Amino acid sequence: MNAAQKECLEACIECMKQCNQCFNDCLQEDDVKMMAECIRLDRECADICALTAKAIQSSSPLMKETAQLCAEACKACGDECAKHDHQHCKDCADACYRCEKACRELAAS
Amino acid sequence: MNAAQKECLEACIECMKQCNQCFNDCLQEDDVKMMAECIRLDRECADICALTAKAIQSSSPLMKETAQLCAEACKACGDECAKHDHQHCKDCADACYRCEKACRELAAS
Amino acid sequence: MNAAQKECLEACIECMKQCNQCFNDCLQEDDVKMMAECIRLDRECADICALTAKAIQSSSPLMKETAQLCAEACKACGDECAKHDHQHCKDCADACYRCEKACRELAAS
Amino acid sequence: MNAAQKECLEACIECMKQCNQCFNDCLQEDDVKMMAECIRLDRECADICALTAKAIQSSSPLMKETAQLCAEACKACGDECAKHDHQHCKDCADACYRCEKACRELAAS
């Protein structure tokens, strides 16, 4: 595994964790309706991050294409999280943007 | 694959589909807060059904233990869905209870 | 859900099942080494099909991009399965190519 | 999240990573047939670890039952890995046994 792959693997796993936490915390907010898109995207982004981590660890022939999709999912989720003031949304947005960057670097490598 | 396994496999896949649909439809309801537990359990039940389907198809040594957990997840999700009048919740509850039954039969076989 | 989405959803679920079955059956062949790439791709294709099914059912903003990745995974897995004479590989290749076609149609719709 | 949950979450994620790595490395060994059960269990254990991590982060009502299943999966995978001399199998067995312990402590808490 080269440096870009290692960094992307760690970024995907951290982003998966933050998305799963944000999913849980959004469901406990007073105004759940306002968080509906965040909940939807948290789930999807966590699943795609898990898939991308597996692709990196499996020397997948589709590793770069998967990382490309993951970058888009991270951007969508990060942009939604960034609209909200909850600390879990801010933490999740940070992890999403870091993962987006690592995925784009892997895809371009 | 014996008859109990085949039936459980189909029940898991149908339940996974209904849970994923109910997850999506709950997020689009006017009162999302009322659906928060349904959304949480839909996701979890869908994931456990997918895992159980894989365990059945993989001759897993943990097939029965996995089916037992799936039965509990289906019961929890079905009981929550059954509290709501939305058609997607009713459809999901039906699929959950069918899957719970098939999982218990597999676990006891 | 429109017609292309419904067809793609069913194709993804059928392909997921065939890939999981082929994964299991390949591991029980006499010559497992010959099946190594098939085993790797079966797992990856099954996971991506499950993800794509969720994306279709979740009105995901990344539905088409996910279907595009799924088409590539189905092609890679189908091409590998098609090299082997085992019935489970032939069945899997058929499901992969059907799913590839449905994914491409969804991505282009 | 209490201390047992935090420790179990980290153990699950580390075990998921080691199982996915061992899966990949087993498929590249000269004698793949000897590794067939390891490959099967690596996949299953990685998937159950990912599920358990989600259950812990989601305050799931089935958290302890899921951790119990995960402990069994980790034991099965660890026992199989421990039969082999490859470094990736030894590393995976270590992670499996640590995760088994953390899961049992969570289940008993």
Side-chain angles (χ1 to χ4, degrees):
Chain A
M1 213 182 288
N2 64 31
Q5 290 167 358
K6 271 186 201 158
E7 191 170 323
C8 194
L9 172 60
E10 294 308 319
C12 283
I13 286 175
E14 181 61 23
C15 190
M16 177 190 78
K17 281 171 65 178
Q18 293 293 343
C19 286
N20 279 330
Q21 195 62 53
C22 191
F23 175 88
N24 178 65
D25 295 347
C26 283
L27 283 171
Q28 296 175 5
E29 291 293 339
D30 286 333
D31 189 348
V32 186
K33 191 169 180 59
M34 192 175 69
M35 311 313 296
E37 275 313 292
C38 203
I39 292 166
R40 181 194 305 280
L41 289 166
D42 280 338
R43 183 198 189 186
E44 185 163 33
C45 192
D47 286 347
I48 293 180
C49 284
L51 181 79
T52 307
K54 277 192 274 192
I56 295 170
Q57 289 195 297
S58 305
S59 329
S60 164
L62 293 171
M63 191 194 300
K64 292 187 182 185
E65 290 85 346
T66 304
Q68 186 63 44
L69 178 66
C70 194
E72 299 304 328
C74 288
K75 179 166 173 26
C77 190
D79 286 352
E80 178 63 30
C81 284
K83 293 179 192 168
H84 305 287
D85 285 333
H86 309 302
Q87 190 60 45
H88 57 83
C89 287
K90 290 183 183 181
D91 292 344
C92 193
D94 285 348
C96 285
Y97 290 140
R98 275 196 302 272
C99 191
E100 180 197 359
K101 185 167 174 290
C103 284
R104 291 203 196 283
E105 285 171 4
L106 177 56
S109 70
Chain B
M1 214 181 289
N2 65 31
Q5 290 168 359
K6 270 185 204 161
E7 191 170 325
C8 194
L9 171 61
E10 294 307 319
C12 283
I13 286 175
E14 180 60 23
C15 190
M16 177 190 77
K17 281 171 63 178
Q18 292 293 341
C19 286
N20 279 329
Q21 195 62 52
C22 190
F23 175 89
N24 178 66
D25 295 347
C26 283
L27 282 171
Q28 296 175 5
E29 291 293 339
D30 286 334
D31 189 347
V32 185
K33 191 169 181 58
M34 192 176 70
M35 311 314 295
E37 275 312 292
C38 204
I39 291 166
R40 181 192 306 279
L41 290 165
D42 280 338
R43 184 198 188 187
E44 184 163 34
C45 192
D47 285 348
I48 294 180
C49 284
L51 181 79
T52 307
K54 277 192 273 192
I56 294 170
Q57 288 195 296
S58 305
S59 329
S60 164
L62 294 171
M63 191 194 300
K64 291 186 183 185
E65 290 85 347
T66 305
Q68 186 63 44
L69 178 67
C70 194
E72 299 304 329
C74 288
K75 180 167 173 25
C77 191
D79 286 351
E80 178 63 30
C81 284
K83 293 178 192 170
H84 304 288
D85 285 333
H86 308 302
Q87 190 59 45
H88 57 83
C89 287
K90 291 183 182 181
D91 292 344
C92 192
D94 286 348
C96 285
Y97 289 140
R98 276 196 302 272
C99 190
E100 180 196 0
K101 185 167 175 289
C103 284
R104 292 203 195 283
E105 286 171 2
L106 176 56
S109 71
Chain C
M1 213 182 287
N2 65 30
Q5 290 168 357
K6 271 186 202 158
E7 191 169 325
C8 194
L9 171 61
E10 293 309 318
C12 284
I13 286 175
E14 181 60 23
C15 190
M16 177 190 78
K17 282 171 63 178
Q18 292 293 341
C19 286
N20 280 330
Q21 194 61 53
C22 191
F23 175 89
N24 178 66
D25 295 347
C26 283
L27 282 171
Q28 296 175 4
E29 291 293 340
D30 286 333
D31 188 348
V32 185
K33 190 168 181 60
M34 192 176 69
M35 312 312 295
E37 275 312 293
C38 203
I39 292 166
R40 181 192 305 278
L41 290 166
D42 280 338
R43 183 198 190 189
E44 184 163 33
C45 192
D47 286 347
I48 293 180
C49 283
L51 181 79
T52 307
K54 276 191 274 193
I56 295 170
Q57 288 195 295
S58 305
S59 328
S60 164
L62 294 171
M63 191 193 300
K64 292 187 182 185
E65 290 85 346
T66 305
Q68 186 62 44
L69 179 66
C70 194
E72 299 304 328
C74 289
K75 179 166 173 27
C77 189
D79 286 352
E80 178 63 31
C81 284
K83 293 179 190 167
H84 305 288
D85 286 333
H86 310 301
Q87 190 59 45
H88 57 82
C89 288
K90 290 183 183 180
D91 292 343
C92 192
D94 286 347
C96 286
Y97 289 141
R98 275 196 302 272
C99 191
E100 181 197 358
K101 185 168 175 290
C103 284
R104 291 202 195 283
E105 286 171 2
L106 176 55
S109 69
Chain D
M1 213 182 287
N2 65 31
Q5 290 167 359
K6 271 186 202 158
E7 191 171 324
C8 195
L9 171 61
E10 293 308 318
C12 283
I13 286 175
E14 181 60 25
C15 190
M16 177 190 79
K17 280 171 65 178
Q18 293 292 343
C19 286
N20 279 330
Q21 195 62 51
C22 191
F23 175 89
N24 178 66
D25 295 347
C26 282
L27 283 171
Q28 296 175 5
E29 292 292 341
D30 286 334
D31 188 347
V32 185
K33 190 170 181 58
M34 192 176 68
M35 310 315 295
E37 274 313 291
C38 204
I39 292 165
R40 181 193 305 280
L41 289 165
D42 280 339
R43 183 199 188 186
E44 184 163 33
C45 192
D47 285 348
I48 293 181
C49 284
L51 181 78
T52 306
K54 277 192 274 192
I56 294 171
Q57 290 195 296
S58 305
S59 329
S60 164
L62 293 171
M63 191 194 299
K64 291 186 183 185
E65 291 85 345
T66 305
Q68 186 62 45
L69 179 66
C70 193
E72 299 304 328
C74 288
K75 180 168 173 26
C77 190
D79 286 351
E80 178 62 31
C81 284
K83 293 179 191 167
H84 304 289
D85 286 333
H86 309 303
Q87 191 58 47
H88 56 83
C89 287
K90 290 183 182 181
D91 292 344
C92 193
D94 286 348
C96 285
Y97 290 141
R98 276 196 303 272
C99 191
E100 181 198 358
K101 185 168 173 291
C103 284
R104 291 203 195 283
E105 286 171 2
L106 176 57
S109 68

